[in-house]
Amino acid sequence: MEIVLTNVREFEELARQALPKMFYDYFRGGAEDEFTLRENIEAFQRIRLNPRVLLDVSSINMSTSLLGFKLSSPILVAPTGGHKLAHPQGEVATARAAAACNTIMVLSFSSNCTIEEVASSCNAIRFFQLYVYKRRDVSAKLVQRAESCGFKAIVVTVDSPRIGRREADIKNKMVAHKISNLEGLLSVDANADGGSNLEAFANETLDPSLSWKDIGWVKSITKLPILIKGILTAEDARKAVEVGVSGIVVSNHGGRQLDYVPASISVLEEVVQAVSGAVPVLVDGGVRRGTDIFKAIALGAKAVMVGRPIIYGLAAKGELGVRNVIGMLKNELEHTMALAGCPSVEDITRSHVQTPADRLRSLI
């Protein structure tokens, strides 16, 4: 008898059953003690909702826009690599699911399917995620390919001067998966000295000298808008606006980089206040419920990005699984909006949530 899935968390167990342990650990795991990995989810659970009643919620409109592009809901597919480790169709299946759900997929530079394969798989709005390499010509080539294939924005990940210490990958001697976009540009072969080949590859190729001035270089090689992903402080958010980015993603890399940093949702409001509406702010990390999305919007996010649940859905049921994950989150968000008295995304305000800091201030 087929198992009836009622929420996106349940896809994780199906993914665990479907995947080799090395690959499941790679997708699930975080850095070191995995404090931040757990905190990303638990921080959402500490935020309470303040519903309004006797409001007309007979029609719920979840649509929004980002950089002028219309979305059916404030949900994007976060950049995650190696989708063929989860399913043979890889990122092509994910892209088709995102297109069917009328949302934006951010394609990872480390996708198993090429930029061109994903672009030709379906008609949709997509962004491309970029790491800046020691060899800048490689990064420039990837940006040029994405732009020529119709991608609409570049999302630069800025929290990875080196890869986080992911102990499960070290124990499993995780092998760097095929990165099709780098074929003919960079080799993924690296000396792991008995540990994670993936870590060795990243440390050999990523540019630890990347600094704020280099965002100007990225802007100089493309006409596309630039978002930066990996901001966790008001200071860095203000710097991002100063260098002219078009958007910010509040992110701790899903707890996979520096452990013991705050949950993304815990610093979202600080970042939103720092930019004062100059650019849209997105957030990722720990989104597992429609209520999580509602909370993020109430704290000022334009949209959320969803990572691991997408991978789990892909591993469990391919393209259909990804559609199911996005669909479940959309249905839960719609339900939450109705029960909270918010007929549209614009009606979700700061007064609809109570954070731990709010509760502390009420005691003073």
Side-chain angles (χ1 to χ4, degrees):
M1 190 172 83
E2 186 176 358
I3 299 173
V4 177
L5 300 176
T6 57
N7 62 75
V8 302
R9 295 175 191 265
E10 294 173 343
F11 277 96
E12 181 174 354
E13 176 58 22
L14 295 183
R16 188 190 67 78
Q17 295 172 14
L19 295 174
K21 182 178 185 299
M22 177 186 289
F23 296 164
Y24 171 73
D25 287 350
Y26 166 68
F27 289 127
R28 186 216 62 82
E32 296 187 350
D33 295 329
E34 299 187 341
F35 170 83
T36 298
L37 176 65
R38 295 186 298 272
E39 181 68 2
N40 273 345
I41 292 175
E42 292 171 6
F44 271 111
Q45 296 171 347
R46 292 193 291 270
I47 300 171
R48 305 290 182 260
L49 300 180
N50 297 325
R52 303 292 187 270
V53 298
L54 294 176
L55 294 164
D56 183 359
V57 289
S58 57
S59 177
I60 301 295
N61 181 8
M62 294 184 292
S63 66
T64 187
S65 64
L66 176 64
L67 302 180
F69 302 112
K70 292 183 178 179
L71 303 171
S72 62
S73 71
I75 303 169
L76 279 73
V77 175
T80 52
H83 286 206
K84 281 192 176 180
L85 302 182
H87 189 274
Q89 293 180 346
E91 288 81 7
V92 165
T94 307
R96 288 172 175 161
C101 295
N102 191 22
T103 193
I104 292 174
M105 174 186 179
V106 184
L107 180 67
S108 170
F109 85 98
S110 61
S111 58
N112 296 134
C113 300
T114 66
I115 294 168
E116 293 77 11
E117 287 170 336
V118 171
S120 63
S121 67
C122 56
N123 184 25
I125 297 167
R126 280 176 288 268
F127 297 171
F128 181 72
Q129 178 240 9
L130 178 74
Y131 277 62
V132 178
Y133 295 103
K134 294 174 183 177
R135 282 187 53 189
R136 297 298 173 87
D137 62 306
V138 173
S139 298
K141 181 66 175 176
L142 294 176
V143 170
Q144 292 161 7
R145 287 167 59 189
E147 186 167 359
S148 67
C149 285
F151 284 69
K152 300 302 184 183
I154 303 297
V155 180
V156 184
T157 294
V158 295
D159 60 4
S160 303
R162 62 176 64 183
I163 198 170
R165 194 168 186 277
R166 304 164 193 173
E167 294 179 359
D169 291 345
I170 296 171
K171 289 179 180 178
N172 292 333
K173 298 183 179 180
M174 178 67 188
V175 177
H177 56 82
K178 178 182 178 182
I179 303 177
S180 297
N181 289 318
L182 298 181
E183 288 186 353
L185 298 174
L186 280 178
S187 171
V188 297
D189 295 327
N191 182 12
D193 291 326
S196 166
N197 170 262
L198 179 66
E199 180 179 5
F201 163 72
N203 291 339
E204 284 184 12
T205 58
L206 297 180
D207 187 355
S209 73
L210 185 69
S211 63
W212 286 107
K213 63 180 175 59
D214 296 308
I215 301 302
W217 172 78
V218 177
K219 291 177 65 180
S220 74
I221 62 173
T222 180
K223 296 178 182 178
L224 298 178
I226 305 296
L227 297 86
I228 60 174
K229 179 177 179 290
I231 299 298
L232 290 173
T233 66
E235 294 84 354
D236 281 347
R238 285 190 284 267
K239 286 286 290 184
V241 173
E242 288 173 11
V243 300
V245 304
S246 298
I248 288 172
V249 184
V250 178
S251 173
N252 54 41
H253 213 109
R256 293 166 70 82
Q257 283 298 102
L258 179 62
D259 202 13
Y260 291 95
V261 300
S264 300
I265 191 64
S266 297
V267 297
L268 169 62
E269 189 169 27
E270 171 187 334
V271 171
V272 169
Q273 291 173 351
V275 304
S276 300
V279 297
V281 177
L282 292 79
V283 65
D284 73 2
V287 175
R288 299 294 185 272
R289 285 285 190 181
T291 49
D292 296 338
I293 302 167
F294 184 96
K295 293 169 184 178
I297 301 302
L299 291 171
K302 186 66 173 177
V304 303
M305 288 185 175
V306 181
R308 285 185 180 88
I310 298 294
I311 287 289
Y312 297 150
L314 182 66
K317 296 188 175 185
E319 178 184 336
L320 177 61
V322 178
R323 289 194 193 197
N324 288 344
V325 165
I326 298 172
M328 282 181 175
L329 290 173
K330 289 173 72 171
N331 289 340
E332 288 184 6
L333 174 60
E334 182 186 36
H335 195 72
T336 301
M337 290 171 63
L339 292 178
C342 299
S344 73
V345 171
E346 289 72 24
D347 293 313
I348 304 172
T349 68
R350 180 60 175 82
S351 66
H352 286 99
V353 293
Q354 184 185 69
T355 66
D358 294 335
R359 292 192 288 276
L360 181 62
R361 281 192 291 269
S362 70
L363 298 175
I364 297 174

